[in-house]
Amino acid sequence: MSQDALQPFGFTSNRTHLSGMLRGNADPETAFFASFLRWNWVRQGNYLILRGHIINATSAPLVSVDFTIPQGLSWREALLELELETNAPPSALAQLHVGIYALEKGLPPEVAGFFMTRCLPKAGGRTRLSREQVRALADQILKTSLPALASKTMLQEKIGHLTRFDQVRLLMLLGREVWNPTILRQLPIFEPGKSVEDILYPGFLALCFPEFENITTLDVNGITVQLPARPSPERMLVFPQYLEWIIFHVPPSILQHIHKRTFPVWSPFEAYLLFNDDDLDVLKSTAATLIRIAESQKRYVPQGDFFLHLPENIQSLIGVDTLRLIVDPNGIWVVPYNPDKDRYGQSFRYNPHAPDHLSPAICGTGYREILDVILSALWHDLLTGGHSGLYPHPTPRPYRAVSPASHASTTRSQRAQTPVYSPLRRRTETITIEGWHAWGSDEERRIIQRRAHQVRGFLRRLPHGQRPSEQALDNALFYGLIVPDGYTFVRPHVRGRQAGDTNPVEIRTRGLATALITLTNLKPSIENPPTSALEGVQNASTALL
């Protein structure tokens, strides 16, 4: 880009100066907010200059910035002076503070400074606090206002009266505490009704902790797990996985035998799949109905550790062909698997008895709803059909199965959400599933797919309080479709039933049929994820290398 496209900016206090070059008409606040900076000190005469450079200058509007301090003035005093005497952008002050702090500590500053800008409220203070006062305020928040760590609005209300300088110091302390499992489990992160912004907020806080870049291992439920080497964009995937493991008490056997005591760096469900509101409602209602019917018609209690080769239609939609599933009576630990590379992705918990069956820590918007339908369909077929819907699949390589006893425990919060079903309703049989399996027979999948194209668009929403007729349910049954609650099925006018399906093959995997028909009729658009600590954060972190 030509120099004509660059515009200078500057902010000057009595003794300090902040200047830089912007691309086009971008304002400094936006430029710092959207940029990764790499800092270094430069001496010029009686001045020290903290010089920042954009790591990915092709996409960021800010090109360079200089923070000039006369010798004899501490950078802390200079930074506070700049804040109180000029209108320098808050995001610039945050980046400066973290950059200098990281240089002093020998840390790479880019990640912490970048996410710091997303946690800051307006600054209202004029007096700098002592180190002891900042520590006392952090302790007070941890003791009396812990839910604020999972709410951007609440935390910003707590720290809005501070100077920008002290806000940054406080957020670095709180960022350290978010990595504490005891504190993390107390945060109301996944409560029903929480906004996506609040759910993601602890991840922003966690990456405001610069010392994280020097950590090489984390303890997860008594197992020491190795982090990706730094500098590496993959380190930014650690907190979402850590959150999932800590909140849902990942079994040690999964960490030891599947992830080999290493944080996975493959995140296959990072993008956004965008659906319209009607399609989202169909997905959510379908998943809920599958679970309701599965529990009411339950004949089996599944457990075990097995690989499931997914139908091609599902593979093309989610970009994964195989899932490793560790099943217990309360749900499933799901681990995406690439057989060609023998690589495991980030693991996550599916809990059919919780208000939200999947957390947003690992699965992006759209993917979460699709995976919910797929896993609810599988849960239905396992509970109602046991082994009958699973067929042998060629084994690419042997594996060591995780013992079912090692993952059958349930946390207190999960037990509170798990409904109790009377044993008088239906006798159940405990089954153990291991090995490599396909979901449904080849013939079943061919028939389901043919019928899926026949019934495109034949679900109709019912007025509130109405139920589908028995005839509508019988018609849907022919196609293997479980009609979601709140909808009815309108039989299509096709020749296939009369000509090709007069003696149709019985579809035993009605969950699979429902999932394939439902997903075949949806056409999501795909977008890159936004920059966040929990959902697709590596899209922003590519600028680090």
Side-chain angles (χ1 to χ4, degrees):
M1 180 169 295
S2 67
Q3 290 295 313
D4 294 337
L6 305 181
Q7 302 295 328
F9 72 92
F11 304 92
T12 303
S13 69
N14 287 333
R15 292 171 292 180
T16 64
H17 185 67
L18 176 66
S19 61
M21 299 294 291
L22 295 181
R23 188 185 303 277
N25 296 319
D27 64 278
E29 174 67 23
T30 303
F32 275 96
F33 187 84
S35 304
F36 287 89
L37 296 181
R38 181 165 288 157
W39 302 95
N40 64 287
W41 287 111
V42 178
R43 290 186 181 273
Q44 288 187 5
N46 293 325
Y47 291 91
L48 280 175
I49 300 177
L50 181 70
R51 182 156 291 164
H53 298 281
I54 294 301
I55 299 170
N56 186 2
T58 59
S59 61
L62 184 64
V63 176
S64 65
V65 60
D66 285 350
F67 177 44
T68 306
I69 308 170
Q71 291 188 17
L73 185 68
S74 75
W75 68 265
R76 293 174 175 84
E77 293 172 325
L79 192 59
L80 188 59
E81 182 178 290
L82 188 67
E83 174 181 348
L84 298 180
E85 296 183 14
T86 75
N87 61 342
S91 58
L93 299 172
Q95 289 265 24
L96 281 168
H97 189 295
V98 178
I100 299 171
Y101 177 87
L103 282 171
E104 284 191 334
K105 301 289 186 180
L107 302 167
E110 299 89 3
V111 175
F114 181 77
F115 286 103
M116 186 73 68
T117 63
R118 281 149 169 75
C119 296
L120 293 168
K122 294 181 179 180
R126 305 290 298 176
T127 305
R128 178 185 166 191
L129 300 181
S130 67
R131 180 181 301 176
E132 291 73 20
Q133 288 173 315
V134 174
R135 178 73 260 182
L137 182 56
D139 291 340
Q140 180 184 4
I141 291 175
L142 294 173
K143 290 178 181 178
T144 64
S145 306
L146 197 57
L149 299 186
S151 169
K152 182 176 182 179
T153 302
M154 287 180 62
L155 184 59
Q156 292 188 348
E157 289 175 354
K158 296 288 182 183
I159 68 176
H161 65 285
L162 304 177
T163 64
R164 180 72 60 211
F165 186 85
D166 290 333
Q167 287 178 358
V168 171
R169 297 162 69 199
L170 180 64
L171 289 175
M172 285 196 290
L173 288 176
L174 295 177
R176 177 197 299 269
E177 298 300 334
V178 173
W179 292 96
N180 184 330
T182 302
I183 289 177
L184 197 58
R185 290 193 178 109
Q186 296 179 58
L187 299 183
I189 297 175
F190 299 137
E191 287 185 348
K194 293 282 285 187
S195 68
V196 173
E197 184 179 38
D198 283 345
I199 291 172
L200 302 178
Y201 195 64
F204 289 124
L205 278 180
L207 292 174
C208 289
F209 174 46
E211 280 84 351
F212 169 68
E213 289 300 310
N214 274 359
I215 295 174
T216 58
T217 62
L218 285 172
D219 181 272
V220 182
N221 298 338
I223 302 296
T224 299
V225 185
Q226 187 76 28
L227 272 65
R230 74 164 180 89
S232 169
E234 285 81 7
R235 287 181 70 90
M236 300 175 71
L237 296 174
V238 168
F239 185 79
Q241 184 64 91
Y242 183 71
L243 175 68
E244 188 82 7
W245 286 347
I246 293 297
I247 294 295
F248 298 106
H249 297 267
V250 62
S253 56
I254 292 179
L255 301 178
Q256 291 175 307
H257 304 307
I258 296 179
H259 292 303
K260 308 298 183 185
R261 299 175 179 259
T262 302
F263 275 91
V265 296
W266 177 35
S267 179
F269 307 128
E270 66 199 31
Y272 268 18
L273 297 179
L274 302 182
F275 297 97
N276 61 46
D277 291 342
D278 290 339
D279 286 346
L280 281 176
D281 189 74
V282 169
L283 290 171
K284 293 176 181 178
S285 183
T286 298
T289 303
L290 285 164
I291 293 172
R292 177 182 61 78
I293 293 176
E295 297 292 352
S296 66
Q297 300 178 5
K298 178 167 61 175
R299 297 176 56 194
Y300 301 94
V301 178
Q303 62 180 13
D305 173 11
F306 67 100
F307 289 84
L308 185 69
H309 186 72
L310 298 170
E312 290 183 2
N313 309 72
I314 293 178
Q315 292 181 31
S316 61
L317 185 59
I318 67 174
V320 173
D321 60 10
T322 304
L323 299 175
R324 185 167 180 176
L325 305 170
I326 299 88
V327 185
D328 61 70
N330 299 303
I332 307 173
W333 276 97
V334 182
V335 192
Y337 181 63
N338 184 328
D340 295 333
K341 297 182 178 180
D342 191 23
R343 179 174 67 166
Y344 288 102
Q346 292 182 304
S347 51
F348 55 94
R349 179 70 176 175
Y350 167 76
N351 184 358
H353 305 128
D356 294 317
H357 308 144
L358 295 168
S359 83
I362 304 299
C363 306
T365 298
Y367 273 116
R368 189 160 64 252
E369 287 76 14
I370 288 176
L371 289 167
D372 193 5
V373 169
I374 294 169
L375 295 170
S376 297
L378 177 64
W379 189 253
H380 170 278
D381 288 349
L382 292 178
L383 266 61
T384 60
H387 289 98
S388 65
L390 300 177
Y391 291 80
H393 183 75
T395 303
R397 54 181 53 84
Y399 76 104
R400 175 179 177 179
V402 173
S403 170
S406 64
H407 51 75
S409 61
T410 308
T411 67
R412 180 175 61 181
S413 60
Q414 288 173 322
R415 284 196 296 269
Q417 297 167 344
T418 304
V420 177
Y421 296 94
S422 169
L424 299 178
R425 177 180 296 179
R426 187 184 297 272
R427 293 189 61 181
T428 59
E429 173 189 350
T430 299
I431 58 172
T432 300
I433 307 171
E434 294 182 355
W436 291 74
H437 300 275
W439 191 3
S441 67
D442 292 341
E443 186 175 11
E444 274 185 303
R445 291 197 298 273
R446 283 195 299 269
I447 293 173
I448 291 170
Q449 191 56 45
R450 182 172 70 247
R451 294 175 182 176
H453 289 291
Q454 294 175 348
V455 300
R456 183 182 300 275
F458 283 88
L459 280 179
R460 296 286 187 269
R461 182 191 287 277
L462 290 170
H464 181 70
Q466 290 192 14
R467 296 172 57 86
S469 66
E470 291 299 322
Q471 184 62 50
L473 295 178
D474 286 343
N475 290 336
L477 180 63
F478 166 78
Y479 294 95
L481 177 67
I482 294 174
V483 179
D485 295 337
Y487 290 80
T488 189
F489 178 78
V490 181
R491 187 175 66 182
H493 296 285
V494 295
R495 298 179 57 192
R497 181 167 185 171
Q498 290 78 15
D501 291 323
T502 53
N503 294 301
V505 173
E506 179 187 2
I507 297 176
R508 291 180 291 182
T509 52
R510 292 193 63 198
L512 173 62
T514 301
L516 286 176
I517 292 173
T518 301
L519 298 177
T520 297
N521 290 324
L522 300 178
K523 291 187 177 299
S525 59
I526 301 177
E527 288 192 1
N528 289 328
T531 302
S532 79
L534 296 180
E535 219 170 28
V537 70
Q538 63 272 38
N539 183 56
S541 68
T542 54
L544 285 174
L545 295 181

